[in-house]
Amino acid sequence: MTETRIWLSPPDVGELERKLLLEAFDSNWVAPVGPDLDAFEAQVAEIVGVRHAVALSSGTAALHLALVAAGVRRGDTVLVPSFTFAATANAVMYLGARPVFLDSTTASWNVDPALVVEELKRRCAKGRPPRAVIAVDMYGQCADYGPLVDACDRYGVALIEDAAEALGASYAGKPAGSFGLAGVLSFNGNKIITTGGGGMLVTDDDGVARRARHLSTQAREPFPHYEHRSVGYNYRLSNLLAAVGRGQLQRLDSMIAARRETGHFYRAALGDLPGVTFMPIAEYGRANYWLTCLLIDPERFGASRDRVLERLAAHAIEARPTWKPMHLQPVFRDCVMRGGDVCADLFRRGLCLPSGSALTEHDRERVATAVRAVAAEANA
Ligand SMILES: *Cc1c(COP(=O)(O)O)cnc(C)c1O
């Protein structure tokens, strides 16, 4: 019997998105400007609770422009969590700056605030502060912004929030994306909402928003002819894709509720297995449960993380290892790393389970049954 494939986090789009997309198409706003783009930006700004949102072609583009706005230049250093997706560190490299990688805390898997404080202190004492700190909201859970914001304020260093995975999450009641100088969202196909590729820079700072908007449209000066005073980029989101995003936003709450329910389901269905521990959800905020991730202790579970992945694949279930830390990536081999045991262990033992918002009850039963079967086999 062939089973239908269960994906990790596939796009969840339907009639509403289709209708809005076709309306935009038929209105002939087939350009990176238009009423859907304006409306999409206004709606995201409201959800994130900030004054400005600039829709861009990707989350990576938003990270790039946020770093430009923070003044990052060639030769600068930027503090970056090692446990993240490569885009976070790549954006630093685009500017000829150097990431300094920091380890995670086991409390939330996000960057360890104590390491950020220590590194800021050390570098500022030497008169060489980093130009910026990037915090990442891993798997839809905010980093610990209390100590992070305090430390960045104290040392006068810009904080950038990579909330690519965290739209709809919050920290102490404040929405993800609203911390620091600028926040970054992604609308890639696997994220909480998708435009089939896209991102946004969100900020309360008028200057940062103006600069990002200007640079994202080739840095054209307001002249009748083409006049340029800085190097620009072609980073604007298309109005057509913004129409899809507007549809997704109407369903944001229910899509997050579905992912949260899946997270609770897996915890109830698998939490009793020996050697299984789920990503801790910190008391300080509300996660959006983008992906449900767990750790497998091979001794107690009776099988390795890779064995579980293999068995799930055999049942046509797409699961993935957690992010491979940046300090273990060949491309970043020469970068400085502070600590590293925590995120190396999260990578060695970590597993992300199918968590899409359109996952059915039957699908998640299939996933849980397959995981339990590996444990049963190992202990037979
Ligand atoms: C997805 C992601 C990005 C990049 O977003 P794109 O829209 O794919 O460019 C950046 N950071 C993190 C943590 C992500 O998960």
Side-chain angles (χ1 to χ4, degrees):
M1 192 191 84
T2 55
E3 298 167 295
T4 54
R5 194 161 173 76
I6 299 177
W7 300 99
L8 184 71
S9 181
D12 174 8
V13 292
E15 271 314 307
L16 176 61
E17 290 81 0
R18 186 185 146 85
K19 178 173 155 277
L20 290 165
L21 175 63
L22 291 178
E23 278 173 16
F25 186 92
D26 292 337
S27 73
N28 209 32
W29 282 108
V30 188
V33 290
D36 292 285
L37 193 73
D38 297 341
F40 186 40
E41 287 182 338
Q43 284 165 7
V44 170
E46 194 184 327
I47 289 166
V48 177
V50 292
R51 291 158 51 102
H52 308 283
V54 182
L56 301 167
S57 51
S58 69
T60 309
L63 274 164
H64 186 185
L65 295 186
L67 290 167
V68 171
V72 174
R73 281 177 306 181
R74 184 162 301 280
D76 283 345
T77 53
V78 177
L79 307 191
V80 178
S82 181
F83 193 59
T84 184
F85 179 52
T88 318
N90 284 342
V92 174
M93 301 298 281
Y94 296 168
L95 292 163
R98 280 264 151 187
V100 166
F101 294 118
L102 306 177
D103 204 355
S104 299
T105 159
T106 54
S108 70
W109 299 10
N110 283 306
V111 71
D112 184 345
L115 285 177
V116 175
V117 171
E118 202 178 286
E119 195 60 21
L120 281 171
K121 197 169 159 191
R122 173 176 15 228
R123 287 182 182 265
C124 292
K126 284 200 265 178
R128 282 181 297 163
R131 187 71 63 183
V133 173
I134 307 180
V136 182
D137 302 331
M138 197 42 52
Y139 298 120
Q141 167 163 246
C142 284
D144 192 356
Y145 285 106
L148 291 177
V149 169
D150 277 356
C152 288
D153 282 353
R154 178 151 21 103
Y155 291 103
V157 174
L159 174 65
I160 291 166
E161 180 183 4
D162 182 347
E165 304 169 2
L167 178 64
S170 61
Y171 174 89
K174 203 169 173 286
S178 67
F179 294 88
L181 180 69
V184 166
L185 300 171
S186 168
F187 312 127
N188 191 20
N190 62 353
K191 296 288 161 62
I192 282 281
I193 68 162
T194 186
T195 56
M200 220 174 263
L201 182 150
V202 284
T203 182
D204 265 329
D205 188 299
D206 300 348
V208 167
R210 202 179 321 113
R211 186 101 194 279
R213 212 174 279 279
H214 178 64
L215 291 176
S216 73
T217 46
Q218 309 281 22
R220 276 154 60 179
E221 298 296 334
F223 289 91
H225 64 272
Y226 288 91
E227 177 84 6
H228 305 274
R229 290 178 186 160
S230 29
V231 174
Y233 305 91
N234 183 6
Y235 275 173
R236 204 77 167 111
L237 186 73
S238 148
N239 187 69
L240 286 182
L241 300 185
V244 175
R246 288 183 61 198
Q248 291 268 282
L249 282 185
Q250 287 188 40
R251 299 170 47 227
L252 177 64
D253 291 345
S254 66
M255 290 199 294
I256 291 175
R259 287 189 193 254
R260 183 171 283 130
E261 207 183 303
T262 293
H264 292 155
F265 169 84
Y266 285 138
R267 280 167 172 79
L270 303 171
D272 66 313
L273 290 173
V276 166
T277 45
F278 284 85
M279 181 181 89
I281 302 293
E283 295 283 315
Y284 57 55
R286 202 164 156 74
N288 71 8
Y289 288 76
W290 174 53
L291 294 184
T292 293
C293 306
L294 51 83
L295 300 178
I296 304 272
D297 175 353
E299 250 88 80
R300 296 181 54 224
F301 186 75
S304 67
R305 183 275 312 271
D306 289 340
R307 174 74 186 151
V308 178
L309 277 174
E310 218 176 85
R311 293 311 300 151
L312 290 175
H315 286 287
I317 295 166
E318 186 193 27
R320 286 280 177 93
T322 43
W323 302 123
K324 179 174 179 179
M326 293 305 112
H327 75 283
L328 301 177
Q329 301 284 0
V331 62
F332 297 120
R333 158 177 59 212
D334 297 332
C335 295
V336 174
M337 173 68 191
R338 303 293 182 201
D341 292 348
V342 174
C343 64
D345 182 55
L346 295 177
F347 169 58
R348 204 162 30 238
R349 299 195 289 126
L351 178 67
C352 308
L353 293 178
S355 306
S357 41
L359 196 75
T360 64
E361 239 174 278
H362 177 72
D363 289 343
R364 52 192 202 207
E365 290 285 356
R366 251 178 72 194
V367 175
T369 303
V371 174
R372 293 197 77 92
V374 187
E377 231 171 73
N379 297 308

